[in-house]
Amino acid sequence: MDLTSPEVIKSILGEYGAKPAKERGQNFLISRETLDKIVETASLDKNDEILEIGPGLGVLTNELAGRAKRVVAVETDRKIAKALRKIMADRDNLEIVEDDILTSQILNLKLAEYKYKIVANLPYQITSAIFKKFLGSGPRPAEMTVMVQKEVAERICAGAGEESILALSVQFFGHPEIAAIVPRKFFWPEPAVDSAILKISRIKEISDKNKEKIEPEKFFRIVKIGFSARRKQLHNNLSAGLRISDEEAKQVISKTGFDPKARAQDLVLDDWIKLALALESY
């Protein structure tokens, strides 16, 4: 059964009375080349435990189950989950969980922190929420290889001058890099935008290192204040958000080695850590 064939996909969906749900971002991958690239990027081996989010009809699931020790696939669509169980009936290392990944208790899936990988074609609508849930709290994965909207991947990997809260939220916990750009024509139904394969690696190393420097809650409080008005200079946002004088804000920024006229998007991760540490007394 060729699960990259639109005709096969349509036939299966029709059999189970299902159809792609636009509100859930259900776009089925129909490119074998892209499928191979995802698997290559994930660097799987026979000892890996994998969490797949939104497996759909199992085009990626089948590849994961054929290479890993254990695969947990979480699907929120009841009809598609039913089809997936039939399609993957011979995979005894696959667990299909019918649930909403954003509200489910991850501990119930028995995935140990830093001992599993996330590999998934993520629905666009929940991308940021997935990163918040799995990077911001445990049990965190060792790595993530995910398909996301191209513009989102580019924002996450941005540097000075283009930083955002989303980018810093990922970079604080891991190292993101774009493995490949995926044209929209490689999906059915075809989405309105192109996608990208994004890998986030070294999560334990980077997360532990940054948490040794500053508590995440304190760090992100300063980041959110700093980005509260993107067009304003950073000192204005810090002054208003921390209720300190504009002069005090400028002095702290200068002491940490930055231009007092800088804007939030001009600072990279290490700059924000230095600034947050300098502002702890406020």
Side-chain angles (χ1 to χ4, degrees), residues 21-223:
K22 187 175 181 180
E23 68 277 8
R24 293 178 184 159
Q26 286 179 332
N27 302 97
F28 297 88
L29 182 64
I30 56 173
S31 165
R32 180 74 221 187
E33 176 186 351
T34 302
L35 185 60
D36 291 341
K37 185 62 179 178
I38 295 171
V39 173
E40 175 191 337
T41 303
S43 302
L44 303 177
D45 67 48
K46 62 182 180 180
N47 295 314
D48 280 332
E49 295 197 0
I50 308 295
L51 172 62
E52 184 186 9
I53 299 163
L57 297 178
V59 65
L60 176 58
T61 314
N62 189 51
E63 300 296 325
L64 300 177
R67 290 167 171 79
K69 177 182 178 181
R70 177 186 178 221
V71 177
V72 179
V74 181
E75 174 59 58
T76 188
D77 188 305
R78 179 180 58 83
K79 293 178 180 178
I80 288 181
K82 184 178 180 180
L84 184 63
R85 287 191 180 96
K86 181 178 179 181
I87 295 168
M88 297 292 155
D90 62 338
R91 291 294 190 182
D92 56 11
N93 63 335
L94 171 64
E95 299 167 39
I96 299 171
V97 179
E98 190 179 319
D99 202 355
D100 182 340
I101 191 65
L102 295 180
T103 58
S104 65
Q105 294 295 316
I106 301 305
L107 290 174
N108 293 340
L109 302 179
K110 298 179 181 178
L111 294 166
E113 185 153 60
Y114 303 133
K115 299 295 185 181
Y116 72 100
K117 297 177 179 179
I118 291 178
V119 186
N121 178 14
L122 293 179
Y124 293 153
Q125 292 90 334
I126 65 170
T127 298
S128 295
I130 290 294
F131 290 140
K132 182 177 181 179
K133 178 164 186 170
F134 287 95
L135 294 177
S137 60
R140 297 177 180 84
E143 294 181 350
M144 300 178 72
T145 299
V146 291
M147 185 91 73
V148 299
Q149 188 175 333
K150 174 176 172 283
E151 288 75 11
V152 171
E154 290 173 340
R155 282 175 57 205
I156 288 171
C157 296
E162 298 179 342
E163 287 285 10
S164 64
I165 294 179
L166 176 59
L168 293 165
S169 297
V170 173
Q171 293 170 15
F172 186 88
F173 294 107
H175 173 69
E177 57 185 335
I178 296 173
I181 302 300
V182 182
R184 64 195 76 183
K185 67 180 181 180
F186 287 170
F187 294 90
W188 179 85
E190 186 175 304
V193 295
D194 294 331
S195 298
I197 300 170
L198 178 73
K199 182 165 186 176
I200 303 170
S201 58
R202 297 162 50 202
I203 293 175
K204 185 179 190 306
E205 171 197 340
I206 291 174
S207 176
D208 287 352
K209 180 187 71 174
N210 288 330
K211 284 188 287 184
E212 284 178 5
K213 296 176 183 176
I214 188 167
E215 294 176 18
E217 293 78 10
K218 293 181 179 179
F219 172 80
F220 286 110
R221 176 172 179 254
I222 297 301
V223 168

